[in-house]
Amino acid sequence: MRKDPTYDRNWAGNYEYRASEIVFPESVEEIQERVARSRRVKALGSRHSFNGIADTDGTMLSLERLDRVVALDRTNGRVKVEGGIRYGELCAYLDERGYALPNLASLPHITVAGACATATHGSGDLNGNLATSVHALDIVTADGEKIAISRDDGDGTLAGAAVGLGCLGIVTAITLNVIPAFRMSQTVYEGLPLAALEDGLDAVFSAGYSVSLFTDWREASFNQVWIKRTETDGAHRWDEPSFHGATRATARKHPVPGLSADPCSEQLGIVGKWYERLPHFRLNFTPSAGEELQSEYFVPRAAAYDALCAIERLRTRIAPLLYVSEIRTVAADELWMSPSYGRDSVGIHFTWNPDQEAVSGLLPLIEEALEPYRARPHWAKLFVMPPDKLRPHYARLPDFERLVARLDPDGKFRNGYTVRYLTEGADPGRRD
Ligand SMILES: Cc1cc2nc3c(=O)[nH]c(=O)nc-3n(C[C@H](O)[C@H](O)[C@H](O)COP(=O)(O)OP(=O)(O)OC[C@H]3O[C@@H](n4cnc5c(N)ncnc54)[C@H](O)[C@@H]3O)c2cc1C
């Protein structure tokens, strides 16, 4: 029996969960007991994914009551947190104690466990996705036992488990590597021509610690460039009036044209706390457009300009359905299921109007246009790429499947999404 209608759907409201019940455990022991006696079970984070990745036809376990910091290890520069904590709360805790995380997504509202599970990312040439900060995981596996997987094990399993796609069990705690707290500024420029990236892509994206380009694709140009600079890379250089042909904004901006900038993080070059500038949106406001869908594809950085030109050729089809498109860089990593596995990447993101039918009709065109560039979709957003096209993008997928089979031999954490993309070719009798 379902207990709370708030949890019937994801944040965007476009996906209705099939779970027969949702429960809110208050201890790891309770999670162990629930998992042990459930036929099918899945962890739910803050529900910010746009597809069925968090769904189950059994019991949903929300970890929102397990949202504390367990320990700050100053000696090794690590923090251990419970599986339900959100970045918003964690960042304030860390900053007060002189620490920071190297990067954040566009919003602080998401859970650490849910974000890392899907390789959620921010921007920055040298910044890996958020799961690259994971040092260790405590996971309740299918038999209800709690195991620990750590980089210190030295066997590489953590690289498989960090982007776990919810398939390995319930992550009850995560240990993240932290860095010293830092200060930074954010400056917005307006009107960067797409052509500026043909020879200038590296110069544009290396202009700050984290750089994002936004376009509504009404023109072959970017409406806005958001540059986040740390004090060491020139946070005070906010007064440069132009940037590769774009002009510095003199008022705060929302990435979606026409929306109030109130929900947005500090801008105008004002130097301050890292976690009040790395995300685009503030914790106590609705992030992004609010009512929306999202898709994103990662292409190798070297192919990014050509891939963007391929998208630009579709802009008259894209623009009518779009709030805004964001272009970010993500450093290569070694996490098996990361879309940036083995390659420096550029993420081409779309925030769509909430018209699922029209968006679903357009995605095949976008995926066809990006296919020559070996685009990998964001696991948590909308895509239509069939499994036989998606699976070859992941060289370590067979290793991941072996890890899933070891920790979840009977498919307790499996759902329709994971069966479709991660176990294609498996015994059909074992499907949902
Ligand atoms: C407005 C908005 C802005 C966004 N901005 C960005 C962005 O800047 N960059 C980006 O990359 N993505 C972005 N996303 C996507 C978002 O980061 C991902 O959907 C992320 O996975 C959401 O985390 P969540 O806590 O909501 O997890 P959920 O969506 O609830 O779950 C995601 C997955 O994590 C698993 N999971 C959750 N908790 C646990 C746990 N404790 N143990 C095991 N598995 C668990 C779930 O089972 C599921 O498989 C955005 C989404 C929205 C709605």
Side-chain angles (χ1 to χ4, degrees), residues 136-192:
L137 299 168
D138 287 352
I139 307 182
V140 172
T141 56
D143 55 7
E145 292 303 308
K146 191 177 85 171
I147 63 165
I149 300 176
S150 167
R151 281 194 191 277
D152 292 337
D153 300 339
D155 61 0
T157 307
L158 198 269
V163 180
L165 305 172
C167 295
L168 304 175
I170 312 297
V171 172
T172 56
I174 302 191
T175 304
L176 300 173
N177 293 311
V178 294
I179 59 175
F182 56 97
R183 286 158 55 81
M184 66 190 319
S185 69
Q186 178 165 247
T187 304
V188 176
Y189 289 85
E190 295 182 285
L192 178 78

Side-chain angles (χ1 to χ4, degrees), residues 10-12 17 31 41-55 60-63 82-87 104-107 109-123 129-130 138-139 164-174 280-281 286-290 292 294 296 298 326 328 349 351 378-381 413 415 417-418:
N10 62 347
W11 174 87
Y17 298 123
I31 292 175
V41 58
K42 198 86 175 165
L44 183 66
S46 56
R47 300 181 294 115
H48 282 78
S49 296
F50 290 87
N51 56 38
I53 192 168
D55 205 1
M60 239 172 191
L61 293 183
S62 164
L63 272 67
E82 290 182 326
I85 199 168
R86 302 187 305 168
Y87 280 98
L104 293 170
S106 68
L107 74 177
H109 307 63
I110 49 178
T111 68
V112 174
C116 292
T118 64
T120 289
H121 65 100
S123 191
N129 72 53
L130 304 189
D138 287 352
I139 307 182
L165 305 172
C167 295
L168 304 175
I170 312 297
V171 172
T172 56
I174 302 191
H280 305 326
F281 302 105
T286 301
S288 196
E292 65 192 58
Q294 295 186 7
E296 187 168 20
F298 302 87
E326 181 178 7
R328 288 176 279 189
H349 162 92
T351 299
H378 193 306
W379 291 111
K381 301 184 182 179
F413 303 110
N415 61 23
Y417 175 102
T418 62

Side-chain angles (χ1 to χ4, degrees), residues 87-97 274-275:
Y87 280 98
E89 284 78 22
L90 172 59
C91 291
Y93 170 94
L94 286 174
D95 189 66
E96 274 171 29
R97 288 155 183 83
W274 57 280
Y275 71 95

